[in-house]
């Protein structure tokens, strides 16, 4: 993505201490405003990096307003100053840049050392910053040496996608070791925890769950130290989470900009990464389960209308691709036993139609049967269909919520290698995936359930703003019959998810306690 560049000069007087010799410095500004709105976002890179590390996030955020990404002096293609700049100097450079751009009351997003620049800017110029987002912030006081930071960064390279590592390396080479090492002492000595206490605006700390640089303890401590702070963790991602999960991070920032509290995930307290043998066994068991239920689906069984009676909240079931409604029968039977009328739509057959076409079929079914206060229970592709139904103005008020199990809300990169169009449609770059990801107004009424390992969706099923529940189980199919999934579905059917469109007063379903670990 090539963006037009504006190069601005900040004078020596605006940069730093007048008693210290300093030269004028230059910054590069890359702006996107395809849909200008009242909200302005400013993105700040970390040490050694440039605007390119934030390019994917910038593209996603541009749907919510004007986004400026700034290359600070000595980084990217900007000339190196004669003297190294402290964090405080960088903040003064940013203040002068904001003045030149006439940016006021914006959301400032800083990644890694960029989080320090953002905090210091908010301290020096509170008139410029309305909200602060700190992604993968540094430096953890428990890892306050250069050697410890280097070890954490080295560990992070093993967790990042190859494209992200290549981007980091190329930016480091452009920056050069000399300027990197001249900037490093300022990063190491900046008192991030102490300074964030002096920030008056709301602060959102975002970290990848696997991030070895911004560890959970430090990130939580930072969020708690801010006068109005919160922490959001992205399951399955590491330090450069804004690059590996740009849609999820952008959606979280957009909600934060609107004043909506950050919604995180309910995760097992301890979820060590499963080993290769464990993942292989899970894979085998998962496909054995899927094969069994594919066979069961063609054998004689209860007709769908036998589940459609009951006094409680109605349920509509949407299976995944190449699945019939019978694939979800373990859930269907338990919901019906709990008193819920469960509606299946046999005309979906094996659910091979495009998401939009299938969503129209489900919407028509709701209208034809005059169903309201519905909870959708969906698996995999069915969750995308369910979200499309919730966004349909003709029926949106009829759906109180959805439980989606193992749904590729951010797509699956494996889809790029699939020959069948019905599977390639799950690409992270498919138009339907991108459209649904940009829409987050219904996310608060969705419960997304997923395991710690899904062989079909390496990106995971995390949905910003939703009630995300990760279970300590592996697989894409077998999770449907897990007792914890069943209880989570029964709980949603009885109580709804988030704020239902038309809440129904009824007693809780028996056994609706939600175990997670």
């Amino acid at each position: 993505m090539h963006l037009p560049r504006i190069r601005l000069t900040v004078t020596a007087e605006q940069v730093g201490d007048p008693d210290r010799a300093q030269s004028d410095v230059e910054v590069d500004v890359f702006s996107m405003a395809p849909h200008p709105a009242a909200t302005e976002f400013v993105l700040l890179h970390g040490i050694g990096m440039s605007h390119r590390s934030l390019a994917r996030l910038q593209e996603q955020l541009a749907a919510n307003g004007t986004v400026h990404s700034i290359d600070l002096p000595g980084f990217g293609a900007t000339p190196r100053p004669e003297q190294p700049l402290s964090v405080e100097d960088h903040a003064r450079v940013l203040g002068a840049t904001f003045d030149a751009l006439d940016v006021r009351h914006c959301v400032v997003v800083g990644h890694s050392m960029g989080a320090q620049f953002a905090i210091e800017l908010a301290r020096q110029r509170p008139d410029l910053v309305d909200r602060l987002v700190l992604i993968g912030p540094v430096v953890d006081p428990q890892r306050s040496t250069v050697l410890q930071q280097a070890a954490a960064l080295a560990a992070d390279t093993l967790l990042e996608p190859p494209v992200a590592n290549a981007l980091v390396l190329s930016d480091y080479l452009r920056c050069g070791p000399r300027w990197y090492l001249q900037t490093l002492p300022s990063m190491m000595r900046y008192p991030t925890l102490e300074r964030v206490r002096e920030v008056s605006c709301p602060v959102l700390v975002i970290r990848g769950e696997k991030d070895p640089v911004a560890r959970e303890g430090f990130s939580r401590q930072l969020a708690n130290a801010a006068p109005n702070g919160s922490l959001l963790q992205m399951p399955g991602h590491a330090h450069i989470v804004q690059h590996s999960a740009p849609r999820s991070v952008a959606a979280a920032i957009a909600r934060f900009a609107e004043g909506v509290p950050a919604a995180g995930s309910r995760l097992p307290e301890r979820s060590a990464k499963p080993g290769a043998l464990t993942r292989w066994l899970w894979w085998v068991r998962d496909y054995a389960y899927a094969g069994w239920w594919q066979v069961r689906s063609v054998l004689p069984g209860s007709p769908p209308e036998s589940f459609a009676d009951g006094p409680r909240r109605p349920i509509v079931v949407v299976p995944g691709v190449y699945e019939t409604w019978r694939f979800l029968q373990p859930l269907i039977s338990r919901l019906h036993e709990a008193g819920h009328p469960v509606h299946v739509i046999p005309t979906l057959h094996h659910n091979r139609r495009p998401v939009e076409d299938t969503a129209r079929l489900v919407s028509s079914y709701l209208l034809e049967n005059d169903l309201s206060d519905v909870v959708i229970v969906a698996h995999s592709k069915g969750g995308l269909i369910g979200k499309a139904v919730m966004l349909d103005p003709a029926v949106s008020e009829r759906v109180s919520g959805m439980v989606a199990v193992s749904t590729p809300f951010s797509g699956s990169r494996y889809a790029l290698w699939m020959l069948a169009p019905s599977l390639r449609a799950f690409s992270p770059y498919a138009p339907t995936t991108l459209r649904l990801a940009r829409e987050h107004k219904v996310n608060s009424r969705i419960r997304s359930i997923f395991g710690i390992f899904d062989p079909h969706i390496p990106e995971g099923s995390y949905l910003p703003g939703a009630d995300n529940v990760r279970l300590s189980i592996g697989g894409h199919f077998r999770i449907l019959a897990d007792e914890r999934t069943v209880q989570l579905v029964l709980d949603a059917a009885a109580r709804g998810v988030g704020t239902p469109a038309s809440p129904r007063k009824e007693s809780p379903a028996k056994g609706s306690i939600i175990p997670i670990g």
Side-chain angles (χ1 to χ4, degrees):
M1 179 178 58
H2 178 74
L3 293 177
R5 179 183 68 183
I6 301 174
R7 176 156 292 182
L8 300 175
T9 299
V10 179
T11 65
E13 291 74 20
Q14 294 172 305
V15 175
D17 187 343
D19 296 329
R20 181 166 63 97
Q22 183 59 269
S23 60
D24 294 353
V25 297
E26 294 181 318
V27 299
D28 285 343
V29 182
F30 302 83
S31 300
M32 288 185 71
H35 308 289
T39 305
E40 285 192 275
F41 303 88
V42 180
L43 311 183
L44 308 177
H45 60 77
I47 186 171
M49 302 299 293
S50 73
H51 73 283
R52 298 195 308 156
S53 65
L54 297 152
R56 290 184 175 181
L57 177 61
Q58 182 175 16
E59 185 176 12
Q60 294 297 320
L61 272 179
N64 301 280
T66 300
V67 190
H68 308 284
S69 193
I70 299 177
D71 279 356
L72 286 159
F75 300 105
T78 61
R80 296 182 185 87
E82 295 177 0
Q83 299 285 337
L85 303 181
S86 66
V87 172
E88 292 80 3
D89 291 338
H90 279 105
R92 284 186 280 271
V93 170
L94 286 168
T97 303
F98 280 39
D99 290 338
L101 296 172
D102 195 26
V103 171
R104 294 287 185 277
H105 306 294
C106 64
V107 178
V108 177
V109 181
H111 172 245
S112 198
M113 188 182 183
Q116 296 180 334
F117 302 151
I119 291 170
E120 187 60 29
L121 175 66
R123 283 184 67 249
Q124 293 182 12
R125 297 288 303 274
D127 58 306
L128 302 178
V129 185
D130 273 359
R131 292 179 181 271
L132 208 56
V133 180
L134 313 177
I135 304 175
V138 292
V139 170
D140 185 345
Q142 299 301 315
R143 290 187 172 182
S144 57
T145 69
V146 171
L147 185 60
Q148 288 172 319
Q149 287 295 304
L153 284 170
D156 185 65
T157 62
L158 303 177
L159 304 171
E160 301 287 357
V163 173
N165 285 328
L167 187 148
V168 171
L169 179 60
S170 62
D171 266 356
Y172 278 7
L173 291 174
R174 282 207 302 171
C175 168
R178 181 180 177 184
W179 185 245
Y180 184 99
L181 293 174
Q182 286 180 326
T183 306
L184 185 61
S186 176
M187 183 187 88
M188 298 303 300
R189 64 173 173 258
Y190 184 77
T192 306
L193 274 172
E194 288 74 13
R195 295 292 173 83
V196 80
R197 292 189 175 97
E198 302 173 25
V199 171
S200 58
C201 64
V203 176
L204 172 62
V205 180
I206 299 178
R207 73 177 291 269
E209 179 202 7
K210 299 179 179 179
D211 189 346
V213 179
R215 296 187 299 172
E216 180 178 359
F218 168 62
S219 299
R220 194 173 299 281
Q221 193 177 6
L222 194 62
N224 291 336
N228 187 3
S230 55
L231 171 65
L232 177 62
Q233 300 192 74
M234 297 289 181
H237 295 274
H239 188 58
I240 317 178
V241 62
Q242 80 281 358
H243 182 84
S244 58
R247 286 189 290 275
S248 296
V249 173
I253 294 173
R255 290 173 61 81
F256 177 63
E258 294 170 1
V260 180
S265 301
R266 288 182 278 166
L267 309 175
E269 289 186 7
R270 295 182 181 179
S271 55
K273 182 179 179 180
L277 179 60
T278 300
R279 294 197 301 271
W280 182 82
L281 291 173
W282 278 342
W283 203 321
V284 170
R285 295 177 66 185
D286 202 42
Y287 278 99
Y289 175 90
W292 167 244
W293 276 101
Q294 289 289 9
V295 171
R296 286 280 301 269
S297 68
V298 299
L299 297 176
S302 302
E305 56 269 16
S306 64
F307 300 103
D309 63 306
R312 309 189 77 181
R313 177 180 279 115
I315 308 297
V316 171
V317 170
V318 186
V321 66
Y322 298 127
E323 300 172 3
T324 70
W325 67 270
R326 292 281 301 278
F327 206 85
L328 277 72
Q329 193 159 332
L331 285 174
I332 292 171
S333 297
R334 292 290 294 274
L335 286 162
H336 188 243
E337 289 169 5
H340 295 279
V342 183
H343 296 262
V344 302
I345 307 175
T347 54
L348 298 185
H349 301 296
H350 283 84
N351 198 4
R352 295 173 57 186
R353 297 183 181 92
V355 168
E356 294 89 345
D357 293 351
T358 311
R360 283 191 286 270
L361 286 175
V362 176
S363 295
S364 297
Y365 185 91
L366 297 181
L367 292 170
E368 291 167 5
N369 292 272
D370 195 24
L371 296 179
S372 60
D373 194 23
V374 167
V375 168
I376 295 173
V377 175
H379 177 237
S380 194
K381 175 187 178 180
L384 300 177
I385 295 166
K387 184 173 179 179
V389 171
M390 296 176 75
L391 292 167
D392 182 351
V395 296
S396 58
E397 294 185 357
R398 294 178 177 267
V399 181
S400 66
M402 177 174 69
V403 182
V405 183
S406 300
T407 292
F409 287 112
S410 296
S412 171
R413 59 178 177 266
Y414 295 155
L416 297 169
W417 303 97
M418 298 294 108
L419 297 177
S422 55
L423 296 178
R424 286 204 306 274
F426 301 128
S427 161
Y429 312 106
T432 298
T433 304
L434 294 172
R435 181 181 70 82
L436 291 176
R438 284 193 294 266
E439 296 283 354
H440 50 83
K441 60 186 176 184
V442 301
N443 289 7
S444 63
R445 293 191 283 124
I446 297 175
R447 174 173 291 167
S448 179
I449 304 173
F450 48 95
I452 59 177
F453 167 68
D454 189 326
H456 288 205
I457 314 173
E459 289 81 0
S461 298
Y462 177 84
L463 181 65
D467 177 24
N468 294 284
V469 187
R470 189 185 65 183
L471 304 180
S472 52
I473 186 175
H476 186 72
F477 305 104
R478 196 165 53 96
I479 189 173
L480 288 167
D482 189 276
E483 184 61 25
R484 292 163 294 184
T485 301
V486 173
Q487 293 299 328
L488 286 161
V489 172
L490 287 172
D491 173 80
R495 306 173 190 273
V497 181
T499 307
S502 52
R504 175 187 295 237
K505 293 183 179 180
E506 54 182 41
S507 58
K510 182 179 178 181
S512 60
I513 297 174
I514 308 175
I516 297 173

